[in-house]
Amino acid sequence: MCGIVGYTGKKQAQQFLLEGLAALEYRGYDSAGLEVLSPDGELHGVKCSGRVATLAERCKTANLVGTQGIAHTRWATHGAPTDRNAHPHLDCTGRIAIVHNGIIENFQEIRSYLRQHGHTIATDTDTEVIAHLIEDAWAGPAKGDLVAATRNALARLRGSWALAVECADAPGEIVVARQGSPVVVASTPDGAYAASDAMPLAGVTKHVISLEDGQLARLSADGSVQVYDADGLPNDHPMTLDIDFDASAATLGGYSDFMAKEISEQPEAIERLLKGRLTEHGIELDELSMTKEELASIDRVYLVACGTSYHVCLIARELIERWAKIQAVCEYASELNYKEPMITDHTLCVIVTQSGETADTLTAAKRMRAMGCKVFAITNVLGSTAARESDGTMYVQAGPEVCVASTKAYTAQIVAASLMTLRLAYANGSMDTGEIQRRYHDLEQLPDLIREVLSRRWQDKKVAKAFRKAHSALFLGRGVNSTTAYEGALKLKEISYLHAEAYPAGEMKHGPIALLEPGFPVVAIVPADHVHDKTVSNIQEVQARGAHCIAVATDGDVEVAQQCEDTLWIPPVPEEELVPVVAIVHLQMLARYVALERGCDVDKPRNLAKSVTVE
Ligand code: M6R
């Protein structure tokens, strides 16, 4: 949820710290701060509620000089997003500073202990206690060794953390630790760096070290990095990752916002993902890391995720049941964690997570693995925790997704799930090679179909005006496109703050129809598919109540166009199961235009964070 960065080296620290925070701001953006060790031997910092841009403005007058510092952008969990609660947090002496992403579960108990032992607690955060524990360890058993002092403090904590610590009495050194929240470090000739993910480091290196749970790292001003394992012993072979994107991939590149950029990148993302997947033996998917026999024996698939990625699972369920003839179960990760899943000896668990760091999804994966399931991850982030803690991983290669609302990762994940399904279908004999090839060629048409929808964005811009006076909206769809309705409604509410509900169209008359009144916007996804006529009947019910109906329909569907106030046109899609990948592009653009009409920040919607690393 929060983003952390750190630097110690030859260069002035402030510029990297601010740029690094800007690159991580998608992780949380309610307050920000930094602390730099100045040549006078003191820590000097600036912190404030609000965005990184506000912090950067304040830094102009603060004139922070120093070649070492740590910084943070926050998504508040404990304590309101105020200046006082913004990180970095200091110990009583003001000589130890810390930034943290995660949650300290036993902070209340530690706080009481610290107060009883003379410490003054200055904030409402769970994080601050860590600074005071390090202060005690530094003054006591670990004197002179920041790694030892940090380890000593961490031994008393329960919860999750990625943290960076600096101490005015240990100049040229930053200590970084990980337990449950991601952090990478990098060694370069100019200095050593730390960040919550590789995004801020893409401009300075091509390789990072990804810390594992329990590990700590000492970053030194000469640019070296020493990793230590949980037992305190040096680890000279830590996990390294190559950065798989260019620094420019995370810049706007001429677009007005990341959402616009990422929506438009969908065709290329899908092309990358499909490339080289079809062989004479079917679909190439070695990432599944299972033998043909194991694949053939799968008799149940558990699909587990949160938010938009859960919607991917709903579509994957349809694909798996229709194409591979395997029973599939979808679960919200946050729900599965408190249920008894009905697994068989041959159940495959598939987790879908763009970031690869969603805490609920990771917990679910761990649990399913402990129960004996093979876990396969579909994710966008190389080396993410999901990838490490699964038996196999498929990277969707959509490139960095910066906008909090997921768009290109959504469609790429559906295509990844389609490939996986084809692999399963081939393995268990539900499809022969010819059928696999035909389905694959259908998938190959998706990029051009999306390009066609993108060229029709003017339709969405026009329709967005219908939402000007709306206080709510209803999305309807049937079959696989009930999920398009769910995802369309989620996109609209996350970025425009307009209440939106989604239902399978046939369910409308069982309750939601009571919402309808003249002018009420109803978005009906009604492509040319086997449930088309049924959905048309639902549109008639909407019309009979005077609501404003916006259809997402297939080119040439005059019947639907005549019955609706507006129509968002999609070109014909070769398989009806693949319509969601094309139709959603209209709803992404519609949500964006509605949000812009309402003056919202489409990339950083209020209260949200891209990577939800707390349960
Ligand atoms: O990184 P993940 O795919 O695991 O994230 C899951 C959800 O938090 C995420 O999809 C969220 O719903 C997005 N804001 C959707 O746009």
Side-chain angles (χ1 to χ4, degrees):
M1 314 285 280
C2 305
I4 65 172
V5 285
Y7 170 76
T8 178
K10 297 178 188 153
K11 300 190 288 187
Q12 287 297 309
Q14 180 181 295
Q15 186 181 345
F16 167 73
L17 296 178
L18 288 172
E19 287 172 2
L21 288 188
L24 292 177
E25 203 172 15
Y26 70 91
R27 301 178 73 89
Y29 34 83
D30 57 38
S31 44
L34 50 75
E35 203 75 41
V36 170
L37 179 60
S38 298
D40 64 3
E42 301 289 331
L43 292 171
H44 295 282
V46 179
K47 48 188 204 166
C48 58
S49 61
R51 300 277 170 92
V52 174
T54 313
L55 179 71
E57 213 38 56
R58 301 250 180 114
C59 284
K60 281 184 188 159
T61 48
N63 194 24
L64 296 178
V65 177
T67 56
Q68 167 182 327
I70 56 176
H72 188 268
T73 178
R74 182 169 186 240
W75 185 87
T77 58
H78 296 67
T82 57
D83 290 4
R84 189 169 62 90
N85 288 333
H87 298 215
H89 294 297
L90 302 176
D91 71 324
C92 295
T93 67
R95 297 190 67 73
I96 295 170
I98 176 164
V99 288
H100 166 226
N101 169 30
I103 284 186
I104 305 306
E105 290 163 7
N106 56 339
F107 82 102
Q108 291 285 21
E109 166 193 327
I110 297 177
R111 191 186 267 220
S112 310
Y113 164 86
L114 288 167
R115 282 200 174 114
Q116 281 162 19
H117 289 78
H119 289 268
T120 305
I121 305 291
T123 73
D124 308 320
T125 67
D126 53 336
T127 299
E128 189 191 338
V129 297
I130 311 174
H132 295 281
L133 289 176
I134 296 175
E135 174 190 353
D136 279 356
W138 178 263
K143 189 159 182 63
D145 185 343
L146 195 54
V147 171
T150 306
R151 170 169 295 105
N152 185 299
L154 296 182
R156 305 192 51 177
L157 306 180
R158 275 200 322 271
S160 60
W161 53 82
L163 53 88
V165 189
E166 63 179 340
C167 172
D169 299 312
E173 226 175 80
I174 288 177
V175 172
V176 177
R178 171 189 163 127
Q179 180 62 49
S181 298
V183 62
V184 296
V185 295
S187 163
T188 80
D190 284 336
Y193 296 83
S196 292
D197 66 35
M199 210 105 82
L201 306 184
V204 296
T205 182
K206 281 282 158 213
H207 315 282
V208 295
I209 296 169
S210 181
L211 292 192
E212 299 187 58
D213 279 351
Q215 287 186 331
L216 286 88
R218 188 195 303 271
L219 277 52
S220 302
D222 63 5
S224 63
V225 168
Q226 177 64 58
V227 174
Y228 299 89
D229 280 339
D231 53 14
L233 296 176
N235 180 326
D236 294 328
H237 302 286
M239 183 192 289
T240 54
L241 293 174
D242 295 336
I243 297 181
D244 62 341
F245 55 86
D246 195 75
S248 64
T251 62
L252 279 171
Y255 286 87
S256 56
D257 50 78
F258 281 104
M259 187 173 191
K261 179 174 182 249
E262 289 158 11
I263 288 173
S264 76
E265 286 172 344
Q266 294 179 98
E268 292 72 30
I270 293 173
E271 276 165 356
R272 264 197 307 277
L273 180 54
L274 289 174
K275 200 165 166 205
R277 290 287 178 181
L278 184 66
T279 70
E280 56 192 282
H281 309 296
I283 297 297
E284 173 73 49
L285 198 61
D286 288 349
E287 296 99 316
L288 269 169
S289 305
M290 291 170 86
T291 63
K292 200 165 173 269
E293 292 67 35
E294 283 176 318
L295 287 173
S297 67
I298 291 169
D299 57 7
R300 189 171 297 174
V301 180
Y302 256 82
L303 297 148
V304 185
C306 303
T308 285
S309 293
Y310 176 76
H311 295 155
V312 174
C313 293
L314 293 178
I315 291 172
R317 179 176 63 191
E318 297 275 338
L319 297 173
I320 292 167
E321 294 194 341
R322 289 193 203 183
W323 292 0
K325 312 286 180 229
I326 303 173
Q327 187 200 15
V329 182
C330 280
E331 288 283 6
Y332 284 115
S334 54
E335 289 292 310
L336 181 67
N337 291 335
Y338 306 98
K339 276 186 175 173
E340 285 309 316
M342 302 282 288
I343 61 167
T344 65
D345 287 347
H346 302 286
T347 296
L348 172 68
C349 172
V350 178
I351 57 167
V352 182
T353 166
Q354 185 282 135
S355 63
E357 302 295 348
T358 300
D360 285 320
T361 307
L362 296 175
T363 305
K366 213 174 256 175
R367 197 157 164 249
M368 293 298 265
R369 256 184 130 187
M371 293 173 88
C373 284
K374 286 259 187 196
V375 172
F376 180 62
I378 295 178
T379 184
N380 191 29
V381 179
L382 199 70
S384 54
T385 309
R388 288 187 218 174
E389 296 191 356
S390 299
D391 299 290
T393 303
M394 183 172 187
Y395 292 109
V396 299
Q397 305 167 52
E401 195 180 60
V402 177
C403 175
V404 167
S406 184
T407 53
K408 63 176 178 175
Y410 176 67
T411 47
Q413 287 174 158
I414 297 174
V415 173
S418 311
L419 289 170
M420 179 195 74
T421 306
L422 291 179
R423 183 73 191 90
L424 295 178
Y426 184 66
N428 71 15
S430 305
M431 281 189 193
D432 61 17
T433 319
E435 179 76 355
I436 298 281
Q437 285 171 350
R438 191 178 66 70
R439 302 273 180 180
Y440 177 83
H441 293 312
D442 290 341
L443 287 169
E444 279 188 318
Q445 292 187 41
L446 289 173
D448 281 342
L449 295 171
I450 293 176
R451 284 190 184 98
E452 182 55 38
V453 175
L454 290 171
S455 75
R456 302 176 185 190
R457 61 172 63 83
W458 59 270
Q459 296 172 359
D460 305 282
K461 192 170 186 178
K462 178 173 156 267
V463 168
K465 302 201 188 319
F467 290 79
R468 257 188 199 152
K469 292 190 183 139
H471 48 82
S472 186
L474 181 62
F475 285 66
L476 302 173
R478 275 180 184 260
V480 76
N481 282 303
S482 54
T483 302
T484 308
Y486 301 146
E487 177 59 10
L490 178 64
K491 284 289 92 81
L492 186 69
K493 61 190 151 196
E494 341 187 53
I495 62 167
S496 75
Y497 317 143
L498 184 65
H499 173 253
E501 288 207 44
Y503 273 87
E507 280 296 300
M508 180 180 64
K509 57 180 138 336
H510 300 289
I513 198 165
L515 294 170
L516 302 189
E517 57 186 355
F520 187 100
V522 177
V523 178
I525 298 104
V526 55
D529 61 12
H530 77 287
V531 285
H532 172 270
D533 294 354
K534 294 280 177 203
T535 315
V536 170
S537 305
N538 302 126
I539 289 176
Q540 280 156 0
E541 291 157 7
V542 168
Q543 289 300 8
R545 272 94 195 157
H548 182 113
C549 193
I550 299 145
V552 179
T554 308
D555 287 348
D557 193 341
V558 181
E559 182 197 2
V560 163
Q562 280 170 349
Q563 292 184 43
C564 296
E565 277 67 25
D566 292 295
T567 306
L568 300 170
W569 294 107
I570 58 167
V573 178
E575 295 286 342
E576 66 177 64
E577 292 92 336
L578 300 182
V579 169
V581 180
V582 178
I584 195 61
V585 179
H586 264 308
L587 302 187
Q588 294 166 346
M589 295 193 290
L590 177 66
R592 178 175 170 272
Y593 283 123
V594 173
L596 292 175
E597 283 269 340
R598 293 164 69 94
C600 302
D601 178 341
V602 294
D603 285 342
K604 298 190 187 79
R606 71 184 178 207
N607 303 337
L608 291 174
K610 184 133 191 94
S611 181
V612 185
T613 55
V614 293
E615 284 181 29

